[in-house]
Amino acid sequence: MIVIGEKINATRKKIKQAIENHDAVYLADVIKKQAEAGADYIDLNAGIGSGSASQEISDMKWLIDLTLETTEKKICIDSADSQVLVSAAYHINGRRSWMLNSVKADMQSMQILLPLIAEHGAPFIALAMGEQGIARDVRGRIEACEKIFHEVTQRAIEPSLVFFDPLVMPLSTDGSQGKVACACIREIKNRFRETKTIVGLTNISHGLPGRAAINQAFLIAAMMSGLDAAIIDPTLAEMKNAVLLGNALAGHDRHCLRYARASRRMAGMKERRL
């Protein structure tokens, strides 16, 4: 299970303020804690929702430099603006392995970003959505994945670099969306066998009480459906437990050794506190 630390995202109020103020001390601490908690990638999103594209590019470059100084973890560059992603990719310039988040199933996005992927051989997140937005059903989302996969093969990009995101939608607006997301994951794994799957987890519980329990349950269900990676907060105990349980239940933890070791370690910590 590949874990991408989600916390350096300007949609979060404190992170937005820290990016605007270039508060390196605060942001470095957030980065370091995610790395220490087991994140494989640190997601970086500098889109504060105001200001120009040039400002987002500048802030993204600053975040990349800060992350490179703070941790040896890989970087996931994240933006809704393709030009920000292009600038970020060239700014990293071979200094660290990176992932791109994200490519949509529309020609403008693919024509800008897929050549970048082909040039650098970097993994990327491919969203199951096109110009009309996110389909409510499995069929519509798979059609979007097919469009991206067609372009990937046309450009001789390795399928193993593709992380399809079925796009998790809130249960609070449609109670079927947990089932739809898991069905999409299974269908993606069946149709595009060399590709991987990823979700931005916490959207599933938006607007509902007891979000931690919902997130944990959904992550386990998704992992059992074939999920390969997730964008989560790795510092949360419930997320660490969900990853351990999901790996065990999906058959990726031989004899449940990692789960057993983690359980014994947690039990020992509790005894010492007592």
Side-chain angles (χ1 to χ4, degrees):
M1 178 68 174
I2 299 168
V3 174
I4 300 174
E6 70 178 7
K7 297 186 74 174
I8 305 298
N9 190 310
T11 60
R12 295 168 176 253
K13 184 177 179 180
K14 288 185 178 180
I15 299 297
K16 176 182 177 180
Q17 292 174 344
I19 292 172
E20 289 175 327
N21 298 328
H22 278 202
D23 187 344
V25 174
Y26 175 77
L27 291 170
D29 183 60
V30 176
I31 292 166
K32 190 178 299 183
K33 285 178 178 176
Q34 290 186 103
E36 291 172 349
D40 300 292
Y41 287 82
I42 305 297
D43 190 74
L44 303 178
N45 187 319
I48 61 175
S50 60
S52 63
S54 61
Q55 182 62 54
E56 184 178 348
I57 289 171
S58 176
D59 288 338
M60 176 65 89
K61 290 179 178 179
W62 179 77
L63 278 177
I64 288 169
D65 291 339
L66 178 62
T67 305
L68 292 173
E69 294 169 4
T70 304
T71 180
E72 295 183 357
K73 298 292 185 175
K74 293 175 277 192
I75 292 173
C76 182
I77 53 174
D78 181 1
S79 178
D81 188 323
S82 297
Q83 293 304 323
V84 173
L85 295 173
V86 172
S87 296
Y90 284 110
H91 186 69
I92 294 173
N93 194 29
R95 292 182 289 166
R96 187 70 52 81
S97 296
W98 54 276
M99 174 185 287
L100 185 146
N101 184 10
S102 53
V103 177
K104 296 185 292 185
D106 69 72
M107 289 310 298
Q108 183 177 9
S109 175
M110 291 189 287
Q111 286 175 352
I112 294 172
L113 296 175
L114 291 183
L116 184 72
I117 295 300
E119 178 184 350
H120 293 274
F124 70 99
I125 296 172
L127 303 182
M129 65 178 291
E131 296 174 1
Q132 305 305 315
I134 305 171
R136 306 294 295 186
D137 60 359
V138 175
R139 180 179 177 181
R141 296 187 204 182
I142 294 300
E143 287 175 356
C145 294
E146 287 175 340
K147 289 179 182 178
I148 295 173
F149 192 74
H150 174 75
E151 291 297 318
V152 164
T153 55
Q154 290 295 305
R155 297 172 187 273
I157 296 171
E158 287 292 329
S160 60
L161 296 175
V162 183
F163 284 71
F164 278 120
D165 183 347
L167 295 170
V168 176
M169 298 179 71
L171 284 175
S172 58
T173 60
D174 182 349
S176 71
Q177 286 304 307
K179 291 173 63 177
V180 167
C182 287
C184 278
I185 291 168
R186 292 191 294 271
E187 187 65 16
I188 289 166
K189 300 298 287 185
N190 182 53
R191 291 198 186 203
F192 316 109
R193 293 183 180 274
E194 296 179 53
T195 67
K196 299 179 181 67
T197 54
I198 187 169
V199 294
L201 183 79
T202 56
N203 203 38
I204 192 71
S205 62
H206 181 75
L208 293 173
R211 295 191 67 183
I214 296 170
N215 294 339
Q216 187 179 50
F218 177 68
L219 180 58
I220 293 169
M223 291 176 72
M224 293 182 70
S225 296
L227 186 69
D228 298 294
I231 304 171
I232 60 174
D233 180 353
T235 67
L236 296 177
E238 58 265 30
M239 287 294 95
K240 293 179 183 179
N241 290 337
V243 171
L244 287 167
L245 286 167
N247 277 325
L249 290 166
H252 302 317
D253 183 1
R254 185 174 173 80
H255 303 305
C256 298
L257 292 176
R258 282 177 288 176
Y259 176 74
R261 283 197 296 268
S263 295
R264 287 194 294 269
R265 186 167 60 249
M266 290 300 297
M269 291 173 62
K270 288 180 180 178
E271 288 179 5
R272 287 194 293 272
R273 285 198 294 268
L274 294 173

